[in-house]
Amino acid sequence: MHSYTEENYLKAVFNLSAIKGEANVNELSRLLEIKMPTVNSMMKRLAEKGLIVYESYKPVRLTAKGEKAAALIIRKHRLTEMFLVEKMDFGWDEVHDIAEQIEHVQSPDFFAKMDELLGFPKLDPHGSPIPDKNGKMEWTEYHKLNECKPGDTVVFKAVIHSSDDFLKFLNARQLRLGTVIKVKSVESFDGTMTVEYSKRAPEMLSQLVCDRILVAPKKK
Amino acid sequence: MHSYTEENYLKAVFNLSAIKGEANVNELSRLLEIKMPTVNSMMKRLAEKGLIVYESYKPVRLTAKGEKAAALIIRKHRLTEMFLVEKMDFGWDEVHDIAEQIEHVQSPDFFAKMDELLGFPKLDPHGSPIPDKNGKMEWTEYHKLNECKPGDTVVFKAVIHSSDDFLKFLNARQLRLGTVIKVKSVESFDGTMTVEYSKRAPEMLSQLVCDRILVAPKKK
DNA sequence: ATAATAAGTTAGATTGCTCTAACAAAAATA
DNA sequence: TATTTTTGTTAGAGCAATCTAACTTATTAT
Ligand SMILES: [Mn+2]
Ligand SMILES: [Mn+2]
Ligand SMILES: [Mn+2]
Ligand SMILES: [Mn+2]
């Protein structure tokens, strides 16, 4: 199969492609903390293997084969995170680094068992969808807290770019998935929001924070 | 720390040393399925790092440092096997290959949590002792079923060289750890034993099998 | 004791993954 | 449009881990 290293590149291409449908060498280099020439030559290797489409000076795209391979690694990552949170009592801010390693374990049985013990979950602990066994995932379109207007009442559904630090920040403010958030006001100068949730005093959240919180309208 | 590869060599040296206190290149080569020159150069690398004592044409020995490092990897391996059996419903014949991979995960928290969830077990699913956090393990001296005489009644305590095939063989005969075995007779020609256990008809076990079954006298 | 076999070593090559230095193309800016 | 900056590529090197072929030392058998 594919090496540990190749799997990490593949996943990086997948993640960067999520928005634009393609990924460039420079961003991959930054994300993976690997120098551009190294990334460049790996792109040629992945293209050789039919996992991506590579043309000089152009962004790369995943082939169908590459997309499936990447999704299946992400499936293992997210199942692992869910297992760590649900079955091993880890916090959602403690699981990413462990999952980053366990996602490379080669054992269909191991992940099938996790899936079963978890009751075939559709979402990971950060609200991201878990791809199915064929690498397909259904993505519910949430919107950013940023885009909400004063008076809106929404439910916290997912985080994006969930770094451990950001998750600890949310923990410290009792902000979790499922929390109902009422937008009180938005400062037009810097986008800072004043919000209310869980019967606490109003809280102020910077634009940077609101940009990473995905929400859905609260169903009455 | 040490690479995935180095860890596997270290563990191999540890396992081969278990009996004689030293390991030679040839046996390592067969065990790891890696050619002798490769093993030879790795031995020099491990010696360089102070993990083993290497002198030309002599068997290698682990240093105190190497012994501790190896024991800690084996700790992770055996905790993992125990976790897979106790918390994930795997059979004792299904866990080794998965543990072989997970033992390389770098995350003290992950294994500490396993340990805790398991209630700090002393033995793995095959009856082998789990080294403690300092790499120390207490080894109860069992004896082989082979060495028993007709009339002996013993308890099945552990397996040695537990390959999946051997474990499946034991499964098929309902032989598990804790099973009380009565030795009826021993064929002096080939060492085959006739034994009785679990209210079943007498069963015949070849010398090869009896050589891999560790037992203790049944406490009356 | 000598010859044959087994075990261990050296030399040299290969592959995967990484780097730096230098150069080329594309995009942004003046 | 011309210049500068950013992005991407090529060339060349190094290390880890593996191999094969050839050679040496140690052990076993005759
Ligand atoms: Mn993650
Ligand atoms: Mn990873
Ligand atoms: Mn094992
Ligand atoms: Mn291993």
Side-chain angles (χ1 to χ4, degrees):
Chain A
M1 263 303 275
H2 311 122
S3 76
Y4 190 106
T5 310
E6 282 171 349
E7 291 192 346
N8 281 336
Y9 277 90
L10 215 47
K11 215 162 50 105
V13 174
F14 185 98
N15 285 329
L16 282 182
S17 301
I19 318 106
K20 296 171 297 178
E22 45 184 43
N24 57 40
V25 174
N26 193 36
E27 282 172 323
L28 284 166
S29 171
R30 255 181 299 144
L31 183 66
L32 293 164
E33 294 180 301
I34 286 172
K35 296 290 180 289
M36 288 205 333
T38 310
V39 173
N40 186 261
S41 57
M42 182 58 86
M43 289 307 102
K44 290 177 176 174
R45 293 249 313 277
L46 295 181
E48 203 66 40
K49 295 198 174 191
L51 297 165
I52 65 169
V53 179
Y54 170 83
E55 286 173 281
S56 278
Y57 297 104
K58 291 202 195 148
V60 301
R61 282 173 300 111
L62 289 166
T63 60
K65 183 181 168 191
E67 186 154 337
K68 182 173 177 182
L72 289 177
I73 302 160
I74 287 165
R75 171 177 164 79
K76 295 197 282 178
H77 182 101
R78 293 183 180 166
L79 274 177
T80 301
E81 289 188 338
M82 200 62 180
F83 187 87
L84 292 169
V85 167
E86 294 296 315
K87 302 295 174 188
M88 294 185 75
D89 293 322
F90 281 96
W92 69 345
D93 57 319
E94 303 175 309
V95 297
H96 180 80
D97 289 352
I98 301 175
E100 201 59 49
Q101 299 177 66
I102 294 190
E103 68 189 357
H104 304 289
V105 167
Q106 306 282 298
S107 167
D109 288 356
F110 180 57
F111 295 100
K113 187 69 86 174
M114 271 192 190
D115 200 19
E116 184 196 322
L117 291 171
L118 289 166
F120 312 101
K122 290 273 190 299
L123 299 173
D124 83 0
H126 311 110
S128 302
I130 300 174
D132 68 22
K133 282 169 196 160
N134 303 308
K136 290 285 160 211
M137 69 178 155
E138 34 199 295
W139 176 252
T140 313
E141 266 313 323
Y142 301 125
H143 48 269
K144 293 175 175 177
L145 181 54
N146 248 347
E147 298 157 0
C148 295
K149 290 174 287 294
D152 287 358
T153 299
V154 294
V155 183
F156 186 4
K157 286 292 190 180
V159 285
I160 31 180
H161 302 140
S162 59
S163 66
D164 289 1
D165 283 357
F166 179 53
L167 296 173
K168 284 185 209 305
F169 171 94
L170 296 175
N171 280 348
R173 285 162 185 75
Q174 268 106 62
L175 274 167
R176 314 177 237 292
L177 300 192
T179 299
V180 176
I181 300 173
K182 269 163 271 192
V183 180
K184 302 305 260 184
S185 64
V186 182
E187 172 57 57
S188 61
F189 173 60
D190 64 0
T192 298
M193 278 185 160
T194 306
V195 300
E196 233 177 65
Y197 58 90
S198 317
K199 314 184 193 89
R200 301 169 80 255
E203 187 82 54
M204 288 179 59
L205 300 174
S206 73
Q207 186 167 41
L208 198 94
V209 168
C210 297
D211 201 50
R212 288 158 149 251
I213 292 179
L214 292 177
V215 299
K218 178 163 165 54
K219 286 203 197 74
K220 194 188 45 51
Chain B
M1 262 303 275
H2 312 122
S3 74
Y4 189 107
T5 311
E6 282 171 349
E7 292 191 345
N8 282 336
Y9 277 90
L10 215 47
K11 217 162 50 103
V13 175
F14 186 98
N15 285 330
L16 283 182
S17 301
I19 316 109
K20 296 171 298 179
E22 46 183 43
N24 56 40
V25 174
N26 193 36
E27 282 171 324
L28 284 167
S29 172
R30 254 180 301 144
L31 183 66
L32 293 164
E33 295 180 300
I34 286 171
K35 296 291 180 289
M36 289 205 337
T38 310
V39 173
N40 184 262
S41 58
M42 181 58 85
M43 289 306 104
K44 290 176 177 176
R45 292 249 313 278
L46 295 182
E48 202 67 39
K49 295 197 173 190
L51 297 166
I52 65 170
V53 179
Y54 170 83
E55 287 174 280
S56 278
Y57 297 102
K58 290 200 196 153
V60 302
R61 282 173 299 111
L62 288 166
T63 61
K65 183 182 168 192
E67 186 153 339
K68 181 173 177 183
L72 289 177
I73 301 160
I74 287 165
R75 172 179 164 76
K76 294 196 283 179
H77 182 101
R78 293 183 179 167
L79 274 177
T80 301
E81 289 189 338
M82 200 60 181
F83 188 87
L84 292 170
V85 167
E86 294 295 316
K87 302 295 174 187
M88 294 185 76
D89 293 322
F90 281 97
W92 69 343
D93 57 320
E94 303 175 308
V95 297
H96 179 81
D97 290 351
I98 301 174
E100 200 60 48
Q101 299 176 65
I102 294 190
E103 67 188 358
H104 304 289
V105 167
Q106 306 283 297
S107 168
D109 288 357
F110 180 57
F111 295 99
K113 187 69 85 174
M114 270 190 190
D115 200 19
E116 185 196 321
L117 291 171
L118 289 167
F120 311 102
K122 291 272 191 301
L123 299 174
D124 83 1
H126 311 110
S128 303
I130 299 174
D132 68 23
K133 281 171 197 159
N134 304 308
K136 290 286 163 211
M137 68 178 158
E138 34 197 294
W139 176 253
T140 314
E141 266 313 324
Y142 300 125
H143 47 270
K144 294 176 176 176
L145 181 54
N146 249 346
E147 298 156 1
C148 295
K149 287 175 288 292
D152 287 358
T153 299
V154 294
V155 182
F156 186 4
K157 286 292 190 179
V159 285
I160 31 179
H161 303 139
S162 59
S163 66
D164 288 1
D165 282 356
F166 180 51
L167 297 172
K168 283 186 210 306
F169 171 94
L170 297 175
N171 280 348
R173 284 161 185 76
Q174 268 107 62
L175 274 166
R176 318 176 233 293
L177 299 191
T179 298
V180 176
I181 300 173
K182 270 164 270 191
V183 179
K184 302 306 258 185
S185 64
V186 181
E187 171 57 56
S188 60
F189 173 60
D190 62 0
T192 298
M193 278 184 160
T194 306
V195 300
E196 233 176 65
Y197 58 91
S198 316
K199 313 183 195 91
R200 300 168 80 256
E203 187 83 55
M204 287 180 58
L205 301 175
S206 73
Q207 186 167 41
L208 198 94
V209 168
C210 297
D211 200 50
R212 287 156 152 253
I213 292 179
L214 292 177
V215 299
K218 176 160 166 56
K219 286 203 199 71
K220 193 189 45 52

